[in-house]
């Protein structure tokens, strides 16, 4: 079962203990979830911030309140872990920030949406040129990416080139922890 909050975040509703396997699946993916504890069952131990529980039966308004609270907690935690760009084109990451140009903000929004994953050059070019016609030179995107690298480095972010594929935006501490 799913429900959507006002901000359109998905929170999964699971019957406990019947859907114990789904709980583990969603836990491994950091999906926010509320366990609805069936009558006669012991309450689960919820030891991560993406999880809460209620005892059945629960009223619609009470459930909505719990879903909204979990969703807010989830977003607040995600925001503290991921970079984000505010309405004034200021890139924020952890306790640091830097202003970026509107063009850099467009490219960074795409990179942030796939934080830690490869974003294809073609997708970045489409975001940059809006018409995806590719009439601009290859160097234009490379120049923007170089400028972004320089802007984000003091924040503890890195922008790596994945040759022949695209770019990866990541946190330095995350990369340092996997370095040999």
């Amino acid at each position: 079962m799913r429900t959507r909050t006002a901000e359109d975040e998905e929170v999964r509703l699971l019957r406990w203990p019947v859907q114990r396997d789904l709980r583990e699946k969603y836990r491994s993916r950091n999906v926010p979830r509320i366990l609805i504890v069936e009558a006669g069952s012991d309450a689960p131990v919820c030891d991560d911030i993406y999880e809460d529980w209620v005892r059945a039966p629960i009223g619609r308004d009470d459930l909505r309140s719990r879903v909204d609270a979990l969703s807010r907690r989830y977003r607040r935690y995600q925001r503290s872990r991921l970079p984000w760009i505010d309405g004034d084109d200021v890139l924020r990451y952890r306790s640091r920030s830097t202003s970026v140009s509107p063009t850099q903000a467009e490219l960074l929004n795409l990179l942030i949406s796939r934080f830690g994953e490869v974003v294809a050059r073609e997708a970045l070019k489409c975001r940059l040129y809006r018409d995806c016609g590719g009439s601009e030179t290859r160097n234009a995107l490379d120049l923007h990416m170089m400028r972004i690298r320089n802007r984000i480095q003091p924040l503890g972010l890195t922008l790596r080139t994945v040759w022949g594929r695209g770019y990866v935006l990541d946190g330095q501490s995350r990369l340092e922890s996997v370095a040999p």
Side-chain angles (χ1 to χ4, degrees), residues 12-77:
R12 301 296 172 116
L13 301 178
L14 303 174
R15 290 179 22 233
W16 179 259
V18 174
Q19 293 181 305
R20 181 183 310 261
D21 293 342
L22 277 177
R23 177 193 191 198
E24 294 308 315
K25 174 184 167 187
Y26 293 142
R27 179 195 304 254
S28 70
R29 295 179 183 170
N30 291 331
V31 174
R33 61 213 169 272
I34 293 182
L35 306 176
I36 301 174
V37 180
E38 296 175 349
S41 297
D42 291 334
V45 174
C46 296
D47 59 356
D48 87 45
I49 65 163
Y50 301 119
E51 188 171 81
D52 199 355
W53 68 271
V54 296
R55 186 154 314 266
I58 184 168
R60 181 177 297 223
D61 291 340
D62 290 343
L63 182 59
R64 171 58 50 199
S65 274
R66 296 299 278 271
V67 167
D68 288 344
L70 180 59
S71 183
R72 281 192 305 275
R73 189 168 65 229
Y74 173 77
R75 281 191 319 280
R76 191 171 47 249
Y77 183 71

Side-chain angles (χ1 to χ4, degrees), residues 2-180:
R2 299 180 210 192
T3 187
R4 297 223 181 234
T5 66
E7 290 78 15
D8 213 28
E9 293 284 339
E10 250 183 347
V11 173
R12 301 296 172 116
L13 301 178
L14 303 174
R15 290 179 22 233
W16 179 259
V18 174
Q19 293 181 305
R20 181 183 310 261
D21 293 342
L22 277 177
R23 177 193 191 198
E24 294 308 315
K25 174 184 167 187
Y26 293 142
R27 179 195 304 254
S28 70
R29 295 179 183 170
N30 291 331
V31 174
R33 61 213 169 272
I34 293 182
L35 306 176
I36 301 174
V37 180
E38 296 175 349
S41 297
D42 291 334
V45 174
C46 296
D47 59 356
D48 87 45
I49 65 163
Y50 301 119
E51 188 171 81
D52 199 355
W53 68 271
V54 296
R55 186 154 314 266
I58 184 168
R60 181 177 297 223
D61 291 340
D62 290 343
L63 182 59
R64 171 58 50 199
S65 274
R66 296 299 278 271
V67 167
D68 288 344
L70 180 59
S71 183
R72 281 192 305 275
R73 189 168 65 229
Y74 173 77
R75 281 191 319 280
R76 191 171 47 249
Y77 183 71
Q78 286 300 98
R79 181 165 278 177
S80 72
R81 295 180 57 211
L82 295 176
W84 59 285
I85 298 176
D86 68 17
D88 296 320
D89 290 337
V90 174
L91 174 64
R92 300 182 183 282
Y93 183 60
R94 297 186 176 149
S95 62
R96 298 178 181 167
S97 64
T98 188
S99 60
V100 295
S101 72
T103 301
Q104 290 171 342
E106 283 290 318
L107 295 171
L108 280 163
N109 275 320
L110 181 56
L111 290 160
I112 290 168
S113 73
R114 305 274 317 268
F115 191 71
E117 301 174 21
V118 176
V119 177
R121 281 187 65 84
E122 284 304 310
L124 290 160
K125 282 172 51 177
C126 283
R127 182 66 60 102
L128 181 61
Y129 306 129
R130 293 290 182 187
D131 63 2
C132 299
S135 61
E136 301 293 328
T137 67
R138 174 185 175 95
N139 291 344
L141 179 61
D142 294 337
L143 182 61
H144 283 290
M145 301 313 269
M146 180 193 72
R147 289 178 178 157
I148 288 172
R149 268 192 189 102
N150 293 337
R151 296 295 295 167
I152 68 173
Q153 191 274 330
L155 303 183
L157 293 169
T158 60
L159 182 62
R160 294 182 290 128
T161 301
V162 179
W163 296 107
R165 293 184 55 206
Y167 295 89
V168 175
L169 178 66
D170 216 334
Q172 288 175 348
S173 61
R174 203 167 138 181
L175 291 173
E176 290 165 0
S177 67
V178 294

